[in-house]
Amino acid sequence: MAWNNLIGLEKEKKIFQKVILEEKLADAYCFLGLEGIGKDAFALELAKTANCYNPIISGETISACDNCKSCQMANNMTHRNIQLVFAQPAADKLTEKQIEEIRDQMAQKIEDPYHRISIANARYISINSIRNIKKKLAFSETSGRQFIIISNGEDMNIEAANAFLKTLEEPRKNTTIIITSSHREKLLQTILSRCQQVYFSSLELNDIQNYLEKKYKKNNNEARLIAAMSQGSITRALDYLDDDMNSLRNFSVDLLRIALRRKNYRMELIEAIEQILGEKDKQLNVLFLNIFAIWLKDVYSVLVLRNTSNVVNIDLLDRTIKFSNGFQEANYLEAFNLIEKTIARLNQNVDPTLAYLSLFIELRKIFTGLTY
Ligand SMILES: [Zn+2]
């Protein structure tokens, strides 16, 4: 994986390539920004590039060759100079099963650097992890540049953070420490003040869409819908990969179609809701409404902005335009409000069938004015 495989972040790529070329890497950085935009992936790529034996250099750009021994080790996460530190289960000794789980998570991270490492009961980065770093730094005599990447630095518990602070206070030659975090407010001020803070920009919808199409072979429509759901976070987008977004969306648009019928809608609406809810858990129930809201926002942007370039569900464009023409007077903002309220209620564990039913009957009122 070279820079090109990292999505977006063009400004950051430019800056750091220059820094590598001028050999001006700082002792410590904090990479800050939204969750799931690739801060870890960026740190790994930076470390690989700085350690590559045959980097490809042209003007102000430098990129790892992805071929040499060093790059291969970096790509397999076995490089002696590159350490990724993340939360692990609290225990003096890990069980076979836990070690297996960590290996599996690492394998997934290698396969896709945007993968969110998630290990059961791993709540924080403990002082043991920090001690291991110190030990490693004390004995290392390797060539190249050492990189310690603390993923989600806010996961350090207070003991670990204080121990880590000492490491930051004693910078070492040829060593760069990178803390990544999407929760700046949870980092110790003393740690922040000893790092160069770099704010990463968020990703564009198109960038995420392209990535899902290229890497996960999602078709154009589905990739766009998932990208819209992800709110600029690749990691979040990956959470939706296994869901059949198009079906969920078509179901939700159908529910509204049934609810807006002149008469005899109620029985069919209840049946349709039960059929949809029957096979889903709470998370999916919420996801379903989020997808529905995105389609309704398409209707709204066609109607109010007279603009189809922002439309997410391009494959439904005809239907969306038709719908917006049919319901020009409706109070869309109230409809969005209602959907949000229903999502909040679902999160509070209200009965989902009732919540859905009351939402769609309310939407019926908003769109048709019918109160029966
Ligand atoms: Zn290389």
Side-chain angles (χ1 to χ4, degrees), residues 283-302:
Q283 245 176 334
L284 268 173
N285 290 335
V286 170
L287 174 65
F288 182 89
L289 288 188
N290 277 320
I291 294 174
F292 177 56
I294 285 178
W295 176 72
L296 209 52
K297 280 180 186 147
D298 280 352
V299 175
Y300 186 70
S301 73
V302 168

Side-chain angles (χ1 to χ4, degrees), residues 48 51-55 64-72:
K48 184 174 75 180
N51 276 289
C52 173
Y53 297 150
N54 307 306
C65 74
D66 261 339
N67 241 330
C68 70
K69 192 89 205 293
S70 174
C71 282
Q72 282 175 22

Side-chain angles (χ1 to χ4, degrees), residues 300 303 323 327-335 363 366-368:
Y300 186 70
L303 183 67
F323 187 95
F327 298 96
Q328 298 191 16
E329 302 300 322
N331 186 341
Y332 284 83
L333 298 183
E334 199 186 333
L363 290 175
I366 290 177
F367 283 101
T368 66

Side-chain angles (χ1 to χ4, degrees), residues 346-358:
L346 287 172
N347 282 325
Q348 289 161 7
N349 294 323
V350 296
D351 179 74
T353 311
L354 285 179
Y356 269 61
L357 191 60
S358 91

Side-chain angles (χ1 to χ4, degrees), residues 218-219 221-222 225-226 240-255 272 275-276 279-280 284 287-289 291-292 295 313 315-316 319:
K218 288 280 167 190
N219 69 41
N221 292 322
E222 206 170 1
L225 183 52
I226 295 176
Y240 301 128
L241 277 185
D242 296 333
D243 297 318
D244 186 349
M245 306 291 273
N246 276 345
S247 310
L248 287 175
R249 181 204 59 194
N250 293 344
F251 265 136
S252 70
V253 178
D254 270 348
L255 273 193
Q275 194 198 338
I276 289 163
E279 47 209 75
K280 291 186 189 60
L284 268 173
L287 174 65
F288 182 89
L289 288 188
I291 294 174
F292 177 56
W295 176 72
N313 300 284
D315 56 322
L316 289 190
R319 202 171 167 183

Side-chain angles (χ1 to χ4, degrees), residues 146-274:
Q146 290 260 4
F147 283 84
I148 310 286
I149 301 163
I150 314 270
S151 173
N152 295 325
E154 71 276 8
D155 286 349
M156 282 187 279
N157 64 13
I158 188 75
E159 223 187 346
N162 280 322
F164 184 65
L165 189 58
K166 296 229 171 63
T167 311
L168 279 179
E169 282 165 346
E170 300 156 7
R172 287 173 44 96
K173 223 177 125 222
N174 293 328
T175 301
T176 292
I177 292 171
I178 301 173
I179 302 165
T180 68
S181 178
S182 41
H183 294 281
R184 185 181 183 279
E185 75 288 353
K186 291 187 187 163
L187 291 172
L188 288 185
Q189 202 52 47
T190 39
I191 287 186
L192 279 170
S193 67
R194 282 184 172 75
C195 300
Q196 244 188 58
Q197 298 175 39
V198 185
Y199 290 86
F200 279 60
S201 27
S202 6
L203 304 176
E204 304 285 332
L205 188 131
N206 281 341
D207 291 332
I208 298 181
Q209 180 186 344
N210 289 340
Y211 182 74
L212 296 172
E213 287 173 16
K214 221 167 94 184
K215 177 103 186 167
Y216 291 97
K217 311 281 172 253
K218 288 280 167 190
N219 69 41
N220 180 278
N221 292 322
E222 206 170 1
R224 195 169 167 83
L225 183 52
I226 295 176
M229 296 285 300
S230 73
Q231 295 170 294
S233 160
I234 295 275
T235 316
R236 215 173 297 158
L238 298 184
D239 287 342
Y240 301 128
L241 277 185
D242 296 333
D243 297 318
D244 186 349
M245 306 291 273
N246 276 345
S247 310
L248 287 175
R249 181 204 59 194
N250 293 344
F251 265 136
S252 70
V253 178
D254 270 348
L255 273 193
L256 185 62
R257 181 183 55 79
I258 297 169
L260 298 188
R261 258 190 221 150
R262 289 247 125 225
K263 45 189 177 178
N264 299 334
Y265 69 95
R266 202 175 272 261
M267 275 316 291
E268 202 183 326
L269 184 60
I270 294 172
E271 273 171 25
I273 288 172
E274 281 175 345

